């Protein structure tokens, strides 16, 4: 007995199907049943339903002809109804029952595709299976029959991303198949294998194995049915080129053939599905041995972790690239812009010089992490004599001096001492000089501007120079003052200021300016190690401080490149 197919009705099809059902219901309830010789929209609705069952292959003409009547009789017989060839109420109910309303993507319980169903979603799956080489293109008809089941089972076995052995089509299977299918809709990728001399030699040897196998295969080259090491290495190249195989098993099967066809189409070669000398000559370039991430240089078409690292660095520097590991036209354009900016030859390729420049450009002043070492220093204002200041600063690697207070006061010794520290930095004797503003409650931006004007800083900070906000006394009542001042300094200089405060106020300071570093005032012999700077004593003679870290850590914090 001929089986009747179940029609899967997707959301975008539901309205028209329900309209057809309404026409059939009205016709079945009429005294004049639809029969041979009738015509109109109700007949069209009937023919569409009969086509969905797989029993009627004729056109949706709207004319109730002999073919329509025969198909209706077949349907009635299959459903154990009286085969009248006319649409009665019982036949209408049976026809209505062939519709299964489902969600897109086989989502949800009860929406999986099973044998005996047909639908546009099944048709899409079949097209993808055929594209990947698992289903004969002649079998693509939107009907979930044994041929489609066999293709689904073969695909499940080949792709480790989906469970093996299930005959139904669910959302997980559909999504993975869509991803794999989409992977064939792109240009040819190239992938580097960073290895040593021994690895490079192995690469060359395996390439030679494939070349020899292609030559020995005779006319047409390696084809479906071939097995062995040459096929497995060939599959590695197909995967690197972006044509996913699921499993590289060393057997030239239908999926490998489909991948070869896709590669040939993109490479503008004759699409045969067989690997001849010309196909291998191009495919061999898709997976290449390399001494490093830049030998040979990264360029258009490469897709691997080396490119991903490059793209992440470009993105961190503000270039609009998609960090996906694929060196496309946008990545090339960003590389050229970077090269021009840094006075490099604008080739668009990433060689050792460009990569080193990218790494250097990633570097940001002001980084600090707890590390071994401790460097003494001090902070000064006009209360300390110039002789004492000179004596201490010339023996130190860092120091800080008061510049301003509020919006109206400038320390009278600041200008000369700032210049002295500048000369010591030029001589390499001093690594860091810091200028601080003693904040008052009130307008934080105005106080920040005062500090910038007095120090003469109106842009990016130079290596060896940092700014400090001294947050204590009356200013503590206003975290907003601190926040506004810090934000403005960062906006102008690109670097967050250091915040000086007592240990009891650290949490409030960090809440106001989370990215700022702390200079903690804790007058004790027990010096905490979790801050860059600590003031542990106010004498004798001047405020005694330490930097938590060695000379390299101080240089990095101060903005000096390693």
């Amino acid at each position: 007995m001929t089986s009747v197919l179940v029609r899967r009705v997707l959301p975008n099809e539901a309205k028209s199907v329900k309209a057809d059902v309404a026409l059939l219901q009205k016709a079945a309830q009429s005294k004049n049943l639809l029969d041979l010789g009738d015509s109109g929209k109700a007949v069209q609705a009937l023919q569409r339903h009969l086509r969905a069952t797989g029993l009627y292959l004729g056109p949706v003409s709207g004319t109730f002809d002999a073919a329509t009547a025969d198909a209706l009789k077949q349907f009635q017989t299959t459903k154990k109804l009286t085969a009248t060839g006319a649409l009665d109420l019982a036949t209408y109910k049976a026809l209505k029952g062939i519709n299964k309303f489902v969600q897109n993507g086989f989502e949800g319980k009860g929406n999986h595709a099973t044998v005996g169903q047909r639908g546009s979603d099944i048709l899409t799956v079949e097209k993808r299976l055929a594209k990947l080489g698992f289903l004969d293109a002649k079998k693509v008809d939107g009907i979930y029959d044994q041929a489609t089941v066999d293709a689904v089972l073969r695909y499940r076995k080949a792709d480790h991303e989906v469970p093996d052995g299930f005959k139904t089509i669910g959302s997980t299977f559909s999504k993975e198949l869509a991803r794999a299918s989409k992977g064939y809709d792109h240009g040819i990728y190239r992938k580097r294998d960073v290895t040593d001399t021994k690895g490079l030699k192995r690469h060359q040897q395996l390439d030679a194995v494939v070349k020899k196998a292609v030559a020995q295969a005779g006319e047409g080259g390696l084809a479906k049915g071939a097995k062995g090491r040459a096929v497995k290495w060939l599959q590695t190249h197909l995967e690197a080129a972006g044509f996913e195989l699921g499993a590289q098993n060393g057997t030239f099967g239908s999926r490998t053939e489909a991948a070869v066809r896709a590669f040939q189409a993109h490479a503008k070669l004759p699409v045969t599905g067989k690997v001849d000398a010309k196909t291998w000559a191009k495919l061999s370039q898709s997976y290449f041995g390399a001494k490093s991430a830049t030998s040979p240089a990264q360029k258009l078409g490469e897709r691997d972790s080396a490119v991903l690292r490059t793209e992440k660095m470009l993105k961190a520097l503000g270039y609009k690239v998609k960090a996906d590991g694929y060196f496309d036209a946008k990545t090339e354009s960003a590389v050229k812009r970077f090269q021009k900016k840094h006075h490099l030859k604008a080739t668009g390729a990433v060689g050792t010089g460009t990569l080193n420049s990218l790494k250097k450009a990633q570097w940001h002043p002001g980084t600090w992490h707890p590390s071994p070492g401790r460097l003494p220093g001090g902070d000064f204002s006009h209360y300390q004599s110039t002789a004492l200041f000179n004596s201490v600063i010339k023996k130190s690697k860092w120091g800080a001096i008061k510049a301003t207070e509020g919006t109206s006061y400038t320390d009278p010794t600041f200008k000369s001492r700032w210049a002295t520290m500048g000369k010591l930095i030029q001589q390499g004797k001093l690594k860091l000089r810091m200028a601080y503003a003693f904040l008052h409650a009130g307008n934080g931006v105005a106080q920040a501007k005062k500090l910038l004007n007095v120090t003469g800083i109106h842009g990016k900070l130079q290596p060896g120079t940092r700014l400090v906000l001294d947050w204590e006394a009356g200013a503590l009542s206003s975290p907003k003052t601190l926040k506004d001042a810090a934000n403005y300094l960062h906006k102008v200089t690109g670097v967050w200021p250091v915040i000086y405060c007592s240990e009891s106020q650290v949490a409030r300071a960090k809440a106001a300016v989370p990215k700022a570093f702390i200079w903690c005032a804790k007058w004790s012999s027990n010096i905490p190690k979790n801050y860059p700077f600590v003031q542990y004593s106010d004498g004798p003679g001047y405020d005694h401080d330490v930097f938590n870290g060695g000379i390299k850590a101080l240089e990095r914090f101060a903005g000096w490149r390693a």
Side-chain angles (χ1 to χ4, degrees), residues 147-160:
T148 308
V149 171
D150 291 342
V152 167
L153 290 174
R154 285 197 298 273
Y155 182 82
R156 286 185 180 278
K157 191 174 182 180
D159 193 335
H160 64 274

Side-chain angles (χ1 to χ4, degrees), residues 228-272:
R229 188 165 62 150
V231 174
K232 191 169 184 178
W233 190 241
L234 168 70
Q235 290 171 329
T236 300
H237 280 72
L238 285 169
E239 286 267 2
F243 304 103
E244 187 177 300
L245 298 173
Q248 299 168 34
N249 54 15
T251 299
F252 200 127
S254 57
R255 189 166 187 181
T256 301
E257 183 181 54
V260 171
R261 286 179 175 274
F263 174 83
Q264 289 170 327
H266 287 293
K268 297 181 180 179
L269 294 168
V271 180
T272 63

Side-chain angles (χ1 to χ4, degrees), residues 38-332:
D38 287 335
S39 63
K41 290 184 178 180
V43 177
Q44 288 179 327
L46 174 63
Q47 289 171 329
R48 278 191 284 268
H49 268 70
L50 288 172
R51 281 180 65 88
T53 67
L55 300 175
Y56 175 65
L57 303 177
V60 180
S61 62
T63 299
F64 202 129
D65 55 12
T68 304
D70 288 343
L72 188 56
K73 286 178 182 179
Q74 268 190 284
F75 176 77
Q76 290 168 327
T77 300
T78 302
K79 293 296 183 180
K80 297 181 181 180
L81 301 171
T82 303
T84 62
L87 182 70
D88 54 26
L89 197 57
T91 304
Y92 151 73
K93 290 180 180 179
L95 276 172
K96 179 183 178 183
I98 71 163
N99 298 310
K100 179 179 176 64
F101 293 87
V102 296
Q103 297 299 314
N104 288 318
F106 306 91
E107 294 281 358
K109 189 176 180 180
N111 285 326
H112 288 196
T114 56
V115 175
Q117 295 182 351
R118 80 180 309 163
S120 57
D121 52 354
I122 293 174
L123 181 65
T124 298
V125 165
E126 288 179 326
K127 286 180 179 178
R128 289 169 176 164
L129 287 168
K131 181 179 180 181
L132 296 173
F134 288 91
L135 182 64
D136 188 331
K138 296 177 182 177
K139 301 289 186 179
V140 176
D141 54 9
I143 299 172
Y144 200 26
D145 54 16
Q146 191 58 47
T148 308
V149 171
D150 291 342
V152 167
L153 290 174
R154 285 197 298 273
Y155 182 82
R156 286 185 180 278
K157 191 174 182 180
D159 193 335
H160 64 274
E161 295 294 333
V162 293
D164 191 11
F166 291 90
K167 293 183 178 181
T168 58
I169 300 173
S171 59
T172 301
F173 180 91
S174 176
K175 288 176 183 176
E176 173 59 20
L177 180 65
R179 188 192 66 77
S181 176
K182 187 178 180 181
Y184 280 27
D185 300 332
H186 56 71
I188 297 170
Y189 300 146
R190 293 165 47 256
K191 182 179 180 181
R192 77 176 55 230
D193 175 25
V194 178
T195 184
D196 54 17
T197 303
K198 186 177 179 180
L200 290 172
K201 186 176 180 181
R202 178 179 175 274
H203 232 98
Q204 294 168 357
Q205 289 172 339
L206 288 172
D207 281 356
V209 167
V210 180
K211 185 177 181 180
K212 183 178 179 181
V214 168
Q216 290 178 339
E219 189 176 353
L222 283 176
K224 192 174 179 181
K227 295 181 179 181
R229 188 165 62 150
V231 174
K232 191 169 184 178
W233 190 241
L234 168 70
Q235 290 171 329
T236 300
H237 280 72
L238 285 169
E239 286 267 2
F243 304 103
E244 187 177 300
L245 298 173
Q248 299 168 34
N249 54 15
T251 299
F252 200 127
S254 57
R255 189 166 187 181
T256 301
E257 183 181 54
V260 171
R261 286 179 175 274
F263 174 83
Q264 289 170 327
H266 287 293
K268 297 181 180 179
L269 294 168
V271 180
T272 63
K274 300 176 182 180
V275 181
D276 57 12
K278 287 185 177 179
T279 299
W280 173 242
K282 286 207 171 185
L283 184 57
S284 64
Q285 300 171 25
S286 64
Y287 187 56
F288 59 97
K291 295 179 180 179
S292 69
T294 55
S295 179
Q298 299 168 29
K299 61 182 181 180
L300 201 63
E302 186 173 337
R303 182 173 179 258
D304 49 41
S305 57
V307 173
L308 179 62
R309 289 191 291 271
T310 296
E311 289 173 328
K312 285 183 176 179
M313 286 190 281
L314 286 167
K315 195 167 186 178
L317 293 172
Y319 294 92
K320 292 183 179 180
V321 295
K322 186 177 182 181
D324 58 1
Y326 179 43
F327 203 119
D328 58 9
K330 289 185 178 180
T331 303
E332 184 183 56

Side-chain angles (χ1 to χ4, degrees), residues 468-489:
V468 181
L469 295 175
D470 186 346
W471 192 51
E472 53 183 308
L476 285 173
S477 62
S478 176
K480 186 177 184 304
T481 299
L482 174 65
K483 181 178 180 179
D484 290 347
N487 285 343
Y488 188 80
L489 291 179

